[in-house]
Amino acid sequence: MTKRVVLGALVSALMVVATGCEEECVDQIDCQNKRGSPGEGKRWACVDNECESRDVAPPSSGDAGTDAGTETDAGTETDAGTETDAGTETDAGTMTVAEGGDCTANANCMAGLYCEDSGGAKKCQPLHIALTTAASGSATATDAVVVRYKTPGSEPPAGTTETTKLSESTTGPSRFPRWNKEGTAVAFVEEETGTAVTLVTRNLPLTAGQKTSLTTGANAGGTVDFRHLEWEPAASLAWSTTASSGSISGISVIPGTGGTVQTATTEGVFPSWAADGNSFAYSVNTIGLKTKVLGGAESPVAGAPTSSEQPLHNNANGVLLYLDAAGNAETIGGLSTPLTQLFTLNPGATGTPAPQSIAAGTSVDVTSPTAGQLKSFIANHTYAPGGTHAAYVRVYYFKPTGGDATLCTGGAECQNQQGNVIFVRRVDATGAPQGAEMELATEATLPSFSPDGHFIAYLSGGKLRVQRIDPAATDAAALKVGSVITHTWTGTTTPSNRGDDHRPRWQPR
């Protein structure tokens, strides 16, 4: 099964990828992030996955080249060194031990901390974030790295104890790091020879020369890449199988301790493990959402529309968060783009469960400087681990009265609206929305909640950023706590062109 090609940096959907290389772009935002400004009177266009500079007609009075790179970054803003951190405040319940304090379990440690073995003694230390970085200007020279969430500026791949390249190979790229449920090991994709794609794991704390190869080039379950890779909260890893032709379909699994790759399903993509670690939800074209029990049955999710896709589990109670375009699409930047919206579905509800809307598209009439509509759809959704919040990207675009639509980049036609805006919305135990959506960050994508729900990591302007939040906030003014922490590395960027594959992942606790 091959599903439609969409704006992958904005919509984490199914893409047909070229064998042996990664696309340079899937939309003009990728080009902006990778190439910078296209020049006065120019705009970027992504044509056949390559960036092309084109004339703007008529020129916008706004700065179409302004994106996340123009916001205050690590060079000028207040970072982790001056904000109030976990070591100076007291949290509710058992989360009372400050950074560097003795602990016996993660529940002892304050928000953002992990009870870590430090030379034989357990201490509360800042959580790690795992993500993929890339050499600036390259779509293929990637590294899977781990970084302490509150310590920006260390240089991979040379690394420090705060930022470390996971692969020790010098002959090929690595990518897609994923944690085990205990937060003690990271799996990632490695290409040691530049052609043989393997799945390997390393334990924390990292020790030179220590890795476990889960697959070999000849024993990878018929896949040439490990798209939509997921590990925690299960004991096994699951991924969508990528054929040599580039088509992506079917779910494969392998135990995190190694073994034989098993074909779990012959169709579908985007596996999301349930809390039991023995079943997952996934999406299948024309069917919608299905569940699969390892070694057992698979079945459609009752109440899920046939157009639903990309399910994510609320591991606190099994509620699913998913996207649905309901067949609606728009030509944006020359590509037919599904106008996805965000819903929850509670499989445990009495009778046939009904979807509940979390975030819908918007449309506002515009008369100047060009007549048309400023519109939006939803992409890159994620659940807080406790199921209390959803975060997502609202993607804005301008549809003129005549002609194709274009993504917003802050120009006058879009009323100075940036293209990607992260919002957070509270969700109750039944999956029902609570209160209004709250804006977190503009020109940003791929939000990721920390395991305690007190921080959100995201990508913006080719940088990893971390914002502390107040989980009890009911409005945008109270949501953000302190200044954003920005991680930036010379000559290195944080790619987003593979959607959820490139989402930063927090160390579980």
Side-chain angles (χ1 to χ4, degrees):
M1 179 204 74
T2 302
K3 291 186 74 175
R4 58 185 174 266
V5 178
V6 296
L7 304 180
L10 306 172
V11 185
S12 179
L14 313 183
M15 295 184 295
V16 178
V17 295
T19 303
C21 63
E22 181 176 278
E23 55 272 341
E24 180 182 21
C25 63
V26 290
D27 57 54
Q28 65 194 77
I29 301 300
D30 278 345
C31 297
Q32 184 69 42
N33 288 342
K34 292 178 179 180
R35 299 282 196 91
S37 173
E40 185 176 355
K42 300 284 187 179
R43 66 176 177 85
W44 287 118
C46 184
V47 180
D48 293 331
N49 302 123
E50 294 185 357
C51 296
E52 292 185 3
S53 175
R54 294 183 174 181
D55 293 328
V56 175
S60 168
S61 60
D63 180 8
T66 301
D67 71 354
T70 62
E71 63 183 294
T72 305
D73 67 16
T76 58
E77 68 187 356
T78 302
D79 66 19
T82 58
E83 69 173 359
T84 301
D85 66 27
T88 60
E89 58 187 66
T90 301
D91 280 291
T94 60
M95 296 166 59
T96 56
V97 179
E99 181 179 337
D102 295 331
C103 58
T104 57
N106 290 322
N108 304 146
C109 301
M110 288 182 174
L113 303 179
Y114 181 92
C115 188
E116 184 176 296
D117 189 341
S118 301
K122 286 195 169 184
K123 304 286 185 180
C124 290
Q125 299 293 347
L127 287 163
H128 287 93
I129 296 174
L131 71 156
T132 302
T133 62
S136 298
S138 173
T140 58
T142 58
D143 288 319
V145 304
V146 291
V147 56
R148 299 281 190 183
Y149 88 87
K150 60 178 293 183
T151 311
S154 300
E155 292 281 353
T160 67
T161 57
E162 309 302 336
T163 305
T164 307
K165 175 183 172 182
L166 290 169
S167 174
E168 295 177 315
S169 170
T170 59
T171 61
S174 57
R175 55 187 175 273
F176 308 159
R178 301 291 186 265
W179 295 95
N180 68 347
K181 61 183 178 180
E182 296 82 12
T184 58
V186 186
F188 57 96
V189 179
E190 184 176 69
E191 295 186 41
E192 290 195 39
T193 66
T195 56
V197 180
T198 61
L199 190 61
V200 301
T201 63
R202 290 190 69 184
N203 296 330
L204 267 65
L206 297 172
T207 302
Q210 175 274 319
K211 77 172 184 179
T212 299
S213 295
L214 300 182
T215 67
T216 66
N219 178 28
T223 192
V224 297
D225 205 351
F226 296 85
R227 300 297 305 274
H228 317 143
L229 181 65
E230 297 295 342
W231 193 357
E232 62 97 11
S236 295
L237 293 98
W239 64 88
S240 301
T241 303
T242 304
S244 58
S245 64
S247 64
I248 306 173
S249 183
I251 311 298
S252 299
V253 297
I254 191 171
T257 54
T260 302
V261 174
Q262 300 290 329
T263 298
T265 72
T266 58
E267 61 180 359
V269 289
F270 286 102
S272 173
W273 289 107
D276 62 13
N278 193 50
S279 63
F280 57 83
Y282 59 108
S283 54
V284 181
N285 194 26
T286 74
I287 294 177
L289 307 184
K290 297 183 72 173
T291 59
K292 168 70 178 181
V293 177
L294 292 184
E298 58 185 70
S299 58
V301 175
T306 58
S307 51
S308 53
E309 59 182 86
Q310 301 177 54
L312 292 176
H313 270 101
N314 173 343
N315 285 320
N317 52 34
V319 173
L320 293 173
L321 183 72
Y322 66 93
L323 295 175
D324 188 358
N328 297 314
E330 186 108 70
T331 299
I332 305 177
L335 294 174
S336 179
T337 303
L339 301 180
T340 42
Q341 301 183 37
L342 188 62
F343 297 87
T344 58
L345 188 72
N346 184 6
T350 302
T352 301
Q356 302 188 81
S357 176
I358 301 300
T362 59
S363 180
V364 177
D365 290 336
V366 174
T367 58
S368 177
T370 303
Q373 293 178 309
L374 176 61
K375 307 176 77 173
S376 72
F377 62 94
I378 307 302
N380 291 334
H381 56 301
T382 191
Y383 241 147
T388 56
H389 296 76
Y392 48 90
V393 175
R394 187 173 288 281
V395 183
Y396 290 92
Y397 65 98
F398 178 71
K399 171 67 174 176
T401 301
D404 288 349
T406 57
L407 292 173
C408 290
T409 54
E413 285 185 339
C414 286
Q415 313 302 300
N416 300 318
Q417 174 66 59
Q418 291 290 343
N420 295 357
V421 181
I422 295 176
F423 286 91
V424 177
R425 194 167 193 187
R426 297 175 61 84
V427 180
D428 71 13
T430 70
Q434 302 294 300
E437 65 179 12
M438 299 174 282
E439 182 178 316
L440 178 80
T442 61
E443 205 50 37
T445 190
L446 297 173
S448 176
F449 285 95
S450 64
D452 49 44
H454 285 255
F455 297 84
I456 296 179
Y458 59 93
L459 305 184
S460 177
K463 300 177 177 67
L464 169 67
R465 302 178 195 264
V466 180
Q467 175 66 62
R468 181 159 192 154
I469 65 169
D470 178 1
T474 57
D475 59 72
L479 180 65
K480 292 187 283 190
V481 178
S483 301
V484 68
I485 303 168
T486 299
H487 296 257
T488 180
W489 302 285
T490 303
T492 300
T493 188
T494 54
S496 62
N497 60 316
R498 286 197 170 188
D500 190 66
D501 284 337
H502 284 324
R503 191 188 303 273
R505 304 298 178 104
W506 287 84
Q507 181 182 19
R509 50 172 278 170

